[in-house]
Amino acid sequence: MDKISSNRVIKVGIVTEDVENTYAKFCELFDTLEPYESHSEPEGDWAPLKYQKYKGEPAGAMPMKVKCVYLDPIYFEIVQPMGDAKSPWHDHLREHGTSVCFISLYINGFEQHIDMMGKKGFPLIFEEEKGYERYAYFDTLKTLGFTLEMKERTPKQ
């Protein structure tokens, strides 16, 4: 693999100090759509498969408030990190204030993408496994101007 398997952006992640205010401003500017897909967990016992790692270390609780603004064909995920946890969202907010943090693509071949991105000089900085989907954030901010998130929605058996 030498290229990302998708060119379709699905989500833009914004971090903010005040999710309610940022969400309200989006809704003043855009005629937003109703959610077009469920973000609820599918049935199954996923707990044994779940984990989070940030910068190679197991991650603790990462409390946050989240609101989504659905446009066509993407959505904005507005994240307000809570507390003082170590997370990509907390770090981005501390360093850059309210701004675009990440852009997300659905991909196929999660481990292959992690390997390919590392070989291209973009190491994995955050990884979350939920059992039914997984996320990876790559250190692309200085080169691309945002953190690249890749999501795969292939349930593990």
Side-chain angles (χ1 to χ4, degrees):
M1 170 178 287
D2 66 337
K3 301 260 185 193
I4 296 170
S5 68
S6 173
N7 289 335
R8 184 172 167 251
V9 173
I10 57 160
K11 174 173 61 171
V12 176
I14 309 291
V15 293
T16 183
E17 294 174 351
D18 185 343
V19 73
E20 298 298 335
N21 183 57
T22 303
Y23 177 76
K25 294 300 180 188
F26 265 87
C27 291
E28 284 177 21
L29 295 171
F30 296 100
D31 185 17
T32 63
L33 302 171
E34 291 296 315
Y36 51 87
E37 64 179 78
S38 172
H39 290 285
S40 58
E41 192 171 294
E43 288 186 34
D45 181 17
W46 305 109
L49 299 171
K50 291 182 177 184
Y51 67 84
Q52 291 178 320
K53 291 182 184 177
Y54 183 48
K55 296 183 177 177
E57 298 293 323
M62 297 180 189
M64 62 181 70
K65 292 181 185 177
V66 178
K67 293 259 189 190
C68 293
V69 176
Y70 294 89
L71 304 178
D72 189 22
I74 67 167
Y75 68 99
F76 287 87
E77 183 176 74
I78 305 166
V79 177
Q80 178 183 345
M82 308 297 291
D84 217 15
K86 292 181 181 178
S87 78
W89 310 284
H90 286 83
D91 289 351
H92 187 91
L93 184 61
R94 281 193 280 280
E95 293 176 32
H96 306 286
T98 297
S99 60
V100 171
C101 177
F102 61 90
I103 294 179
S104 182
L105 308 163
Y106 281 134
I107 52 98
N108 291 311
F110 192 71
E111 288 80 14
Q112 295 89 343
H113 279 82
I114 291 172
D115 183 56
M116 184 262 306
M117 291 295 286
K119 287 177 181 174
K120 292 189 178 285
F122 300 113
L124 178 70
I125 56 173
F126 176 73
E127 179 180 9
E128 181 171 6
E129 170 66 63
K130 293 184 175 182
Y132 56 92
E133 66 183 0
R134 52 201 64 68
Y135 303 80
Y137 282 36
F138 298 93
D139 189 4
T140 58
L141 183 63
K142 290 179 181 163
T143 304
L144 301 180
F146 59 88
T147 297
L148 183 60
E149 175 191 42
M150 294 185 197
K151 295 173 66 168
E152 184 176 58
R153 285 194 164 168
T154 306
K156 287 193 169 183
Q157 301 300 321

